[in-house]
Amino acid sequence: FQYENSDLPVLNNIHVEIPKGNTIALVGSSGAGKSTFVDLVPRFYDVSKGTILIDDIDIREIKIENLRSFMGIVTQDTILFNDTVFNNICYGQPNSDIEKIRSAADAANATEFIENLPNGFDTIIGEKGILLSGGKKQRISIARAILKNPDILILDEATSALDTESERKVQGAIDNLVKERTVIVIAHRLSTITNADQIIVLDKGRLVESGTHDELLLMNGQYKNLYAIQFRDIFK
Ligand code: ADP
């Protein structure tokens, strides 16, 4: 894949197979191509050469709205609206009732803080959710994804610093979200990385290593270095 305005491809010679129900973690330093990789799946961009197939169908043959209807996307800048918590969670699923929204909020570890807001689920959260902390915004966007119940989940875990309590709650929400789905995750959390069915290490747009956490540690290569850096940063 090459961006239109750049001279060189940013992803080269990538071959990856993702079995249904597996969690694939992408790791690599900043600029390695992780966000570009996940952006190709819902067709925010189309590949310049090669193909992406889902169940043997080239995704360019699938209408974009149909393709995205079975994907959930949770990124660091998930879009929240200046509307109620209720409407933010059911965005894209307009006919959801309060029971379903509540159970999505429960699974996202969000019910308690929502009920403590001035008007509970009817509280307006401000432009881009400005009235909520980072961890709370993430849990609202996770609740939205849980409600949508997508077959394929694309997750860009936040790197932004959360306090320990918030981190734990977001982690619990993510654990509920990823259950029984096909997940492609840009991984920043150790738990996601160690539990992934397959870890793909990207470096300057190339796939340099892939395997499980244990397999990659044994290779003693880039993954081991990245892991050591993450470990140091998280527990310092
Ligand atoms: P990562 O997510 O691993 O940090 P990215 O996929 O964001 O990496 O970026 C990979 C490369 O593509 C970088 O060199 C980046 O500068 C470049 N890039 C990202 N987005 C664009 C864009 N919209 N146009 C041109 N180049 C881009």
Side-chain angles (χ1 to χ4, degrees):
F1 172 76
Q2 180 163 353
Y3 285 104
E4 265 179 21
N5 57 356
S6 66
D7 301 334
L8 292 168
V10 297
L11 291 172
N12 290 288
N13 270 325
I14 308 266
H15 179 81
V16 174
E17 282 181 45
I18 305 177
K20 188 179 163 100
N22 276 18
T23 292
I24 302 299
L26 298 174
V27 299
S29 48
S30 176
K34 304 181 295 295
S35 308
T36 305
F37 183 106
V38 298
D39 281 352
L40 298 177
V41 182
R43 293 188 62 197
F44 292 135
Y45 303 99
D46 278 328
V47 288
S48 317
K49 274 191 197 163
T51 45
I52 298 178
L53 305 169
I54 297 181
D55 292 343
D56 292 331
I57 298 167
D58 186 331
I59 59 172
R60 285 168 295 192
E61 289 166 17
I62 306 173
K63 261 202 190 155
I64 286 188
E65 69 187 68
N66 290 344
L67 181 72
R68 291 183 192 164
S69 71
F70 53 82
M71 292 181 190
I73 303 172
V74 176
T75 62
Q76 295 181 45
D77 40 25
T78 298
I79 299 169
L80 296 179
F81 305 100
N82 191 12
D83 201 336
T84 60
V85 171
F86 184 98
N87 286 337
N88 268 285
I89 294 177
C90 72
Y91 170 75
Q93 308 286 308
N95 299 319
S96 315
D97 57 49
I98 184 70
E99 290 314 310
K100 282 195 181 146
I101 302 236
R102 266 179 193 281
S103 65
D106 282 346
N109 267 337
T111 311
E112 193 185 331
F113 89 76
I114 293 169
E115 287 182 336
N116 283 325
L117 293 172
N119 294 311
F121 280 84
D122 295 324
T123 308
I124 292 181
I125 60 170
E127 205 58 55
K128 294 188 183 155
I130 190 114
L131 304 177
L132 301 175
S133 70
K136 289 174 180 167
K137 279 192 279 203
Q138 278 178 36
R139 281 180 277 154
I140 300 262
S141 67
I142 290 168
R144 180 191 289 167
I146 289 172
L147 182 73
K148 187 174 182 187
N149 195 22
D151 293 316
I152 298 175
L153 177 73
I154 294 169
L155 178 62
D156 185 353
E157 292 181 334
T159 42
S160 53
L162 299 174
D163 60 67
T164 316
E165 175 68 1
S166 185
E167 168 86 28
R168 196 178 56 76
K169 288 185 169 151
V170 169
Q171 185 60 56
I174 288 176
D175 291 344
N176 287 334
L177 176 62
V178 301
K179 264 180 215 157
E180 291 163 27
R181 294 180 214 283
T182 307
V183 183
I184 306 174
V185 54
I186 298 180
H188 302 292
R189 290 188 170 83
L190 292 173
S191 56
T192 317
I193 299 170
T194 48
N195 294 335
D197 296 296
Q198 192 184 344
I199 298 163
I200 288 164
V201 185
L202 294 179
D203 182 38
K204 301 188 187 80
R206 290 181 189 276
L207 190 162
V208 289
E209 290 169 6
S210 77
T212 63
H213 172 75
D214 291 340
E215 288 164 355
L216 289 176
L217 282 184
L218 283 175
M219 279 183 202
N220 236 336
Q222 287 207 16
Y223 177 76
K224 191 163 185 194
N225 276 333
L226 283 166
Y227 182 76
I229 292 166
Q230 298 226 355
F231 203 92
R232 191 191 64 204
D233 288 346
I234 288 170
F235 292 105
K236 74 182 169 200

